[in-house]
Amino acid sequence: EPLIGPVQGGTVINLWGTQFEKKRNITCYFGEHTVQAKYVSKQHLTCKSPETQEPGEVKLIVKY
């Protein structure tokens, strides 16, 4: 959450789940763009959306 944001990027995306582990290199992949994620708790990660050239859907993958 949230599901939408501006093309300028900078939207803080909240990712909710279970059993996240506190590691140094948690990465969010927004299509071709990568950004570092922030560990908040075992149930919560955040990452900021990158700038994009045009509006549209982007696949989000988190790797840690």
Side-chain angles (χ1 to χ4, degrees):
E1 58 187 29
L3 297 176
I4 61 171
V7 295
Q8 294 86 359
T11 301
V12 175
I13 307 298
N14 292 286
L15 304 161
W16 302 95
T18 59
Q19 304 302 316
F20 291 131
E21 295 178 21
K22 188 173 186 177
K23 295 186 177 184
R24 296 177 110 183
N25 294 319
I26 305 171
T27 306
C28 291
Y29 294 84
F30 289 85
E32 303 282 325
H33 302 280
T34 61
V35 296
Q36 284 297 119
K38 179 181 175 187
Y39 175 90
V40 179
S41 71
K42 286 186 175 186
Q43 296 82 30
H44 187 197
L45 300 174
T46 64
C47 51
K48 286 188 180 180
S49 64
E51 183 176 354
T52 186
Q53 298 299 318
E54 55 187 66
E57 289 188 17
V58 177
K59 186 175 187 176
L60 172 60
I61 298 173
V62 177
K63 291 188 180 180
Y64 61 98

